[in-house]
Amino acid sequence: MNAVDASAVTYAKLRATDPDRWLSTALAWRRWAALAGALCTEFGSLLSRLRGSWSGAAAEAALARLGALRRQAAFFRVVCWRADQALSEFAAALGRARALLDRACAAARRSGLIIDDHGTVHGHPGTDEAVRSVAGDLTTALALAAEADSTATTRLSVLAAIPPAPPAPASFPPCTAGPGEVRRWWEQWSPAERTWLLVTHPAAFAGADGIPIADRDVANRLLLDDARLELDRMRAAGVDRGRLGDLREGLDRLTARLEEEGGPRAYLIGLGLDGEGRAVVALGDPDHSAHVLTHVPGMTSDLKSLGGELTRAERVAVRAGELGPAQSASAVLWLDYDAPDFVHEAASDRQARDGAPELTRFQEALRATHEGGPAHQTVLGHSYGSLVVGRAAAAGGLPADTVVFVGSPGVGVDSAAELRLPTDRVWSTTSLTDPIQYAAVAPKDLLPDGERHLWFGRNPSDPGFGARVFPSQFDAGHLGYWDRGGPALDALARITLGGAP
């Protein structure tokens, strides 16, 4: 088949396909994983009861057999999740391709052009520019659809070839290994070996920077049941029940988002029950996205408040897809630092200094695991989270193409030039109704020349700081920057896409 015929076939398929049907298939696999999870839980409780009431050779044989069956059920869950991942990303890519196709068809109708059944654009004298524009969108749409089809076919073919039997035990990389070294270690194993490593040792890879995002998602999902059991054990031991209740509520909300049937597919990259709880969640797979936004939340962020922060990050990813469907965008909520709970804690930069190196390492991991050419990486800090981002950037070596400060109390430096990034890649916004802008350390810091100094240095939204300031709606307050229809959301989406508001 020549290129023209192949393009015509792709065009015909894209016109006929319904991305929602592929998404429904992905959700079916996700539901099968949930059913297998319930079976794993039953096996786990049965094994515990048998160990406490039966001993001897027969008991050991029965326990070994039940353990093997539980591993097989866990293996089935992993296969289901991998199919869900591949089909969810396929559906998302087809959705972007269809958006481009619909845009081309609408533009053709407005200009009086014809798109024939082979996907060729025909115009009349004086419509050359319109023909080029429509043909450009069509070409991009067909290329997206063809690439998505090829990628999904490869991923599903590899999945079908994985044998349901564990490989020999493997050694692990040293705990001092960097993300790049971990990625190279992971690549030495076959797909079957990687799958069984996740089944048998999920805790070793769930939080390992350098393991691909899709694999970390599988490992962390396998550990969710263990997290609930750990909370039950802590409750039985009399640990602070109020904190445990908040953690359990947060864990339930997180689980609901992982199982949600609308919006971009969620990838669970990290989870911790220390303190008020931590989580790293991506909306869309960062390893296969051309643009990746990392959203660092601020004061009082914890596992219980995860839903609101995820919604804000997701709105940027969705809006970026609407404004620029030609390239994929993913948003990551990075809540992997101890965010301050009270004002007296937020008056110190200690938690930001502690979190900054971890943020840098996470960005390094995103670079190491990304497929194809490097993604455009944007790191956004909101409120106290902007101080975490500022500390990471000022320390040097932060793998980010762009940093954004939203509603900032100061970023630890007085000039964009101190962030060790080109100043034209530093953006900031502060709404006129955001109370954060009045958080001065003392009256002497309200300088007569209008330069506002906050808790942690000059306001990054002031001209004297040297960042590129973009508008936000007047009534945004401290949390309204992500409101739909507002200028701030569109600006954040365009910056994520590597452009300007």
Side-chain angles (χ1 to χ4, degrees):
M1 183 183 297
N2 60 40
V4 174
D5 291 338
S7 179
V9 170
T10 303
Y11 175 66
K13 289 181 177 179
L14 184 58
R15 288 176 63 191
T17 193
D18 179 3
D20 286 342
R21 294 185 64 181
W22 292 104
L23 184 58
S24 295
T25 305
L27 294 175
W29 283 104
R30 200 179 306 170
R31 294 188 190 106
W32 277 110
L35 289 173
L39 184 60
C40 285
T41 300
E42 288 295 323
F43 275 129
S45 60
L46 179 58
L47 286 166
S48 297
R49 292 196 300 271
L50 284 177
R51 287 192 183 97
S53 60
W54 193 16
S55 62
E60 291 302 318
L63 289 170
R65 180 58 178 162
L66 286 172
L69 288 174
R70 190 186 188 200
R71 284 193 298 275
Q72 292 290 339
F75 170 85
F76 178 70
R77 293 185 83 189
V78 172
V79 171
C80 289
W81 282 323
R82 289 199 185 281
D84 169 27
Q85 291 169 344
L87 292 170
S88 291
E89 297 303 324
F90 181 52
L94 287 183
R96 293 188 293 112
R98 281 299 301 265
L100 285 168
L101 176 61
D102 292 344
R103 188 168 78 181
C105 291
R109 286 192 296 270
R110 288 194 302 269
S111 301
L113 307 179
I114 301 296
I115 303 175
D116 65 24
D117 289 341
H118 297 283
T120 302
V121 184
H122 303 277
H124 48 80
T127 60
D128 290 353
E129 184 175 346
V131 168
R132 283 193 295 270
S133 177
V134 170
D137 274 352
L138 276 177
T139 299
T140 303
L142 298 182
L144 275 174
E147 181 182 3
D149 184 72
S150 175
T151 300
T153 299
T154 299
R155 293 178 71 172
L156 294 173
S157 296
V158 169
L159 186 61
I162 297 176
S171 59
F172 300 118
C175 59
T176 56
E181 184 178 351
V182 172
R183 176 63 191 273
R184 289 189 292 273
W185 176 87
W186 188 248
E187 290 297 320
Q188 72 178 308
W189 306 106
S190 69
E193 290 169 329
R194 290 178 213 153
T195 297
W196 276 106
L197 284 170
L198 294 172
V199 170
T200 54
H201 303 285
F205 306 110
D209 289 324
I211 299 297
I213 297 299
D215 295 325
R216 289 179 65 174
D217 173 58
V218 165
N220 279 289
R221 285 173 184 257
L222 284 172
L223 294 173
L224 271 177
D225 291 338
D226 292 340
R228 292 190 185 86
L229 291 174
E230 177 62 20
L231 289 180
D232 291 341
R233 285 192 291 267
M234 292 166 69
R235 181 182 290 273
V239 177
D240 182 355
R241 297 201 170 201
R243 184 177 75 86
L244 294 183
D246 288 345
L247 287 174
R248 188 57 183 258
E249 183 178 344
L251 204 60
D252 290 343
R253 291 177 179 176
L254 172 61
T255 302
R257 180 58 186 87
L258 295 176
E259 296 174 353
E260 188 176 306
E261 299 185 1
R265 188 191 189 278
Y267 290 76
L268 184 56
I269 307 174
L271 179 66
L273 299 180
D274 52 309
E276 283 75 40
R278 304 186 183 198
V280 182
V281 183
L283 292 314
D285 187 351
D287 287 346
H288 295 90
S289 296
H291 304 278
V292 180
L293 169 74
T294 299
H295 175 107
V296 183
M299 179 179 166
T300 72
S301 299
D302 54 25
L303 196 59
K304 184 179 179 180
S305 68
L306 189 78
E309 298 294 348
L310 264 178
T311 296
R312 287 185 268 279
E314 182 173 342
R315 283 182 181 175
V316 179
V318 170
R319 187 59 179 147
E322 292 169 350
L323 293 174
Q327 291 187 306
S328 55
S330 170
V332 182
L333 171 62
W334 188 84
L335 178 53
D336 202 17
Y337 81 106
D338 180 21
D341 295 317
F342 305 102
V343 173
H344 73 274
E345 289 181 333
S348 166
D349 72 343
R350 179 187 61 81
Q351 284 148 292
R353 285 187 283 108
D354 291 345
E358 296 304 316
L359 176 60
T360 296
R361 182 180 172 89
F362 179 70
Q363 294 302 302
E364 292 172 351
L366 289 178
R367 289 273 197 241
T369 59
H370 192 266
E371 297 288 341
H376 175 268
Q377 291 184 194
T378 300
V379 184
L380 180 155
H382 174 230
S383 191
Y384 190 89
S386 69
L387 181 60
V388 180
V389 177
R391 288 297 187 196
L398 177 66
D401 299 288
T402 307
V403 296
V404 186
F405 304 122
V406 178
S408 175
V411 300
V413 297
D414 288 327
S415 168
E418 299 176 66
L419 296 174
R420 304 196 186 187
L421 290 168
T423 56
D424 64 347
R425 299 182 187 175
V426 180
W427 294 87
S428 182
T429 191
T430 303
S431 170
L432 291 175
T433 56
D434 192 334
I436 199 73
Q437 65 188 307
Y438 305 113
V441 176
K444 67 180 178 64
D445 290 310
L446 297 175
L447 302 180
D449 61 2
E451 294 177 350
R452 288 174 293 166
H453 278 54
L454 305 180
W455 284 105
F456 304 108
R458 179 176 288 169
N459 187 337
S461 294
D462 274 356
F465 184 83
R468 302 176 73 181
V469 179
F470 61 94
S472 51
Q473 53 270 42
F474 173 81
D475 60 349
H478 194 53
L479 296 176
Y481 298 96
W482 293 268
D483 288 349
R484 294 188 181 94
L489 179 59
D490 274 13
L492 293 173
R494 294 185 190 281
I495 293 170
T496 296
L497 292 170

PDB file of all heavy atoms in Angstrom, residues 254-267:
ATOM      1  N   LEU A 254      -8.809   9.259  46.769  1.00  0.00           N
ATOM      2  CA  LEU A 254      -7.803   8.921  45.767  1.00  0.00           C
ATOM      3  C   LEU A 254      -8.234   7.696  44.972  1.00  0.00           C
ATOM      4  O   LEU A 254      -8.143   7.673  43.732  1.00  0.00           O
ATOM      5  CB  LEU A 254      -6.461   8.671  46.447  1.00  0.00           C
ATOM      6  CG  LEU A 254      -5.334   8.123  45.573  1.00  0.00           C
ATOM      7  CD1 LEU A 254      -5.000   9.099  44.449  1.00  0.00           C
ATOM      8  CD2 LEU A 254      -4.092   7.838  46.415  1.00  0.00           C
ATOM      9  N   THR A 255      -8.705   6.665  45.669  1.00  0.00           N
ATOM     10  CA  THR A 255      -9.147   5.448  44.991  1.00  0.00           C
ATOM     11  C   THR A 255     -10.294   5.741  44.027  1.00  0.00           C
ATOM     12  O   THR A 255     -10.332   5.221  42.909  1.00  0.00           O
ATOM     13  CB  THR A 255      -9.586   4.398  46.026  1.00  0.00           C
ATOM     14  OG1 THR A 255      -8.493   4.115  46.910  1.00  0.00           O
ATOM     15  CG2 THR A 255     -10.024   3.111  45.348  1.00  0.00           C
ATOM     16  N   ALA A 256     -11.210   6.609  44.450  1.00  0.00           N
ATOM     17  CA  ALA A 256     -12.332   6.963  43.581  1.00  0.00           C
ATOM     18  C   ALA A 256     -11.842   7.641  42.303  1.00  0.00           C
ATOM     19  O   ALA A 256     -12.354   7.379  41.214  1.00  0.00           O
ATOM     20  CB  ALA A 256     -13.308   7.872  44.327  1.00  0.00           C
ATOM     21  N   ARG A 257     -10.813   8.503  42.433  1.00  0.00           N
ATOM     22  CA  ARG A 257     -10.292   9.163  41.227  1.00  0.00           C
ATOM     23  C   ARG A 257      -9.570   8.170  40.327  1.00  0.00           C
ATOM     24  O   ARG A 257      -9.639   8.251  39.096  1.00  0.00           O
ATOM     25  CB  ARG A 257      -9.339  10.302  41.606  1.00  0.00           C
ATOM     26  CG  ARG A 257      -8.745  11.033  40.385  1.00  0.00           C
ATOM     27  CD  ARG A 257      -9.837  11.607  39.509  1.00  0.00           C
ATOM     28  NE  ARG A 257      -9.340  12.189  38.260  1.00  0.00           N
ATOM     29  CZ  ARG A 257      -9.143  11.522  37.131  1.00  0.00           C
ATOM     30  NH1 ARG A 257      -9.390  10.204  37.086  1.00  0.00           N
ATOM     31  NH2 ARG A 257      -8.709  12.134  36.045  1.00  0.00           N
ATOM     32  N   LEU A 258      -8.879   7.192  40.912  1.00  0.00           N
ATOM     33  CA  LEU A 258      -8.191   6.189  40.109  1.00  0.00           C
ATOM     34  C   LEU A 258      -9.178   5.331  39.322  1.00  0.00           C
ATOM     35  O   LEU A 258      -8.854   4.830  38.243  1.00  0.00           O
ATOM     36  CB  LEU A 258      -7.333   5.290  41.006  1.00  0.00           C
ATOM     37  CG  LEU A 258      -6.151   5.955  41.722  1.00  0.00           C
ATOM     38  CD1 LEU A 258      -5.473   4.960  42.645  1.00  0.00           C
ATOM     39  CD2 LEU A 258      -5.154   6.530  40.725  1.00  0.00           C
ATOM     40  N   GLU A 259     -10.373   5.165  39.856  1.00  0.00           N
ATOM     41  CA  GLU A 259     -11.384   4.345  39.202  1.00  0.00           C
ATOM     42  C   GLU A 259     -12.357   5.178  38.369  1.00  0.00           C
ATOM     43  O   GLU A 259     -13.235   4.624  37.708  1.00  0.00           O
ATOM     44  CB  GLU A 259     -12.164   3.549  40.253  1.00  0.00           C
ATOM     45  CG  GLU A 259     -11.296   2.552  41.019  1.00  0.00           C
ATOM     46  CD  GLU A 259     -12.035   1.883  42.159  1.00  0.00           C
ATOM     47  OE1 GLU A 259     -13.187   2.307  42.434  1.00  0.00           O
ATOM     48  OE2 GLU A 259     -11.469   0.969  42.785  1.00  0.00           O
ATOM     49  N   GLU A 260     -12.204   6.491  38.382  1.00  0.00           N
ATOM     50  CA  GLU A 260     -13.145   7.382  37.711  1.00  0.00           C
ATOM     51  C   GLU A 260     -13.195   7.115  36.210  1.00  0.00           C
ATOM     52  O   GLU A 260     -12.182   6.845  35.567  1.00  0.00           O
ATOM     53  CB  GLU A 260     -12.734   8.840  37.967  1.00  0.00           C
ATOM     54  CG  GLU A 260     -13.725   9.865  37.480  1.00  0.00           C
ATOM     55  CD  GLU A 260     -13.293  11.277  37.872  1.00  0.00           C
ATOM     56  OE1 GLU A 260     -13.061  11.503  39.070  1.00  0.00           O
ATOM     57  OE2 GLU A 260     -13.168  12.130  36.973  1.00  0.00           O
ATOM     58  N   GLU A 261     -14.384   7.244  35.660  1.00  0.00           N
ATOM     59  CA  GLU A 261     -14.587   6.929  34.252  1.00  0.00           C
ATOM     60  C   GLU A 261     -14.530   8.155  33.347  1.00  0.00           C
ATOM     61  O   GLU A 261     -14.599   8.020  32.131  1.00  0.00           O
ATOM     62  CB  GLU A 261     -15.927   6.204  34.083  1.00  0.00           C
ATOM     63  CG  GLU A 261     -15.990   4.886  34.861  1.00  0.00           C
ATOM     64  CD  GLU A 261     -17.252   4.101  34.603  1.00  0.00           C
ATOM     65  OE1 GLU A 261     -18.076   4.583  33.799  1.00  0.00           O
ATOM     66  OE2 GLU A 261     -17.403   3.011  35.180  1.00  0.00           O
ATOM     67  N   GLY A 262     -14.421   9.343  33.903  1.00  0.00           N
ATOM     68  CA  GLY A 262     -14.340  10.550  33.094  1.00  0.00           C
ATOM     69  C   GLY A 262     -12.998  11.235  33.293  1.00  0.00           C
ATOM     70  O   GLY A 262     -12.308  11.026  34.283  1.00  0.00           O
ATOM     71  N   GLY A 263     -12.620  12.061  32.319  1.00  0.00           N
ATOM     72  CA  GLY A 263     -11.371  12.796  32.421  1.00  0.00           C
ATOM     73  C   GLY A 263     -10.170  11.959  32.043  1.00  0.00           C
ATOM     74  O   GLY A 263     -10.273  10.757  31.775  1.00  0.00           O
ATOM     75  N   PRO A 264      -8.994  12.577  32.027  1.00  0.00           N
ATOM     76  CA  PRO A 264      -7.775  11.833  31.684  1.00  0.00           C
ATOM     77  C   PRO A 264      -7.517  10.703  32.681  1.00  0.00           C
ATOM     78  O   PRO A 264      -7.856  10.822  33.860  1.00  0.00           O
ATOM     79  CB  PRO A 264      -6.678  12.913  31.783  1.00  0.00           C
ATOM     80  CG  PRO A 264      -7.389  14.218  31.749  1.00  0.00           C
ATOM     81  CD  PRO A 264      -8.736  13.982  32.335  1.00  0.00           C
ATOM     82  N   ARG A 265      -6.917   9.619  32.201  1.00  0.00           N
ATOM     83  CA  ARG A 265      -6.619   8.508  33.091  1.00  0.00           C
ATOM     84  C   ARG A 265      -5.612   8.942  34.148  1.00  0.00           C
ATOM     85  O   ARG A 265      -4.634   9.640  33.867  1.00  0.00           O
ATOM     86  CB  ARG A 265      -6.038   7.323  32.323  1.00  0.00           C
ATOM     87  CG  ARG A 265      -5.908   6.070  33.207  1.00  0.00           C
ATOM     88  CD  ARG A 265      -5.085   4.991  32.538  1.00  0.00           C
ATOM     89  NE  ARG A 265      -5.135   3.732  33.265  1.00  0.00           N
ATOM     90  CZ  ARG A 265      -4.385   3.436  34.333  1.00  0.00           C
ATOM     91  NH1 ARG A 265      -3.521   4.327  34.798  1.00  0.00           N
ATOM     92  NH2 ARG A 265      -4.487   2.260  34.919  1.00  0.00           N
ATOM     93  N   ALA A 266      -5.859   8.531  35.395  1.00  0.00           N
ATOM     94  CA  ALA A 266      -4.964   8.876  36.499  1.00  0.00           C
ATOM     95  C   ALA A 266      -3.898   7.799  36.671  1.00  0.00           C
ATOM     96  O   ALA A 266      -4.183   6.596  36.580  1.00  0.00           O
ATOM     97  CB  ALA A 266      -5.754   9.024  37.794  1.00  0.00           C
ATOM     98  N   TYR A 267      -2.662   8.238  36.917  1.00  0.00           N
ATOM     99  CA  TYR A 267      -1.524   7.350  37.175  1.00  0.00           C
ATOM    100  C   TYR A 267      -1.022   7.628  38.583  1.00  0.00           C
ATOM    101  O   TYR A 267      -0.626   8.764  38.896  1.00  0.00           O
ATOM    102  CB  TYR A 267      -0.399   7.592  36.167  1.00  0.00           C
ATOM    103  CG  TYR A 267      -0.731   7.139  34.769  1.00  0.00           C
ATOM    104  CD1 TYR A 267      -1.580   7.884  33.958  1.00  0.00           C
ATOM    105  CD2 TYR A 267      -0.203   5.949  34.254  1.00  0.00           C
ATOM    106  CE1 TYR A 267      -1.904   7.473  32.676  1.00  0.00           C
ATOM    107  CE2 TYR A 267      -0.520   5.529  32.966  1.00  0.00           C
ATOM    108  CZ  TYR A 267      -1.371   6.289  32.186  1.00  0.00           C
ATOM    109  OH  TYR A 267      -1.688   5.881  30.919  1.00  0.00           O
TER     110      TYR A 267
END
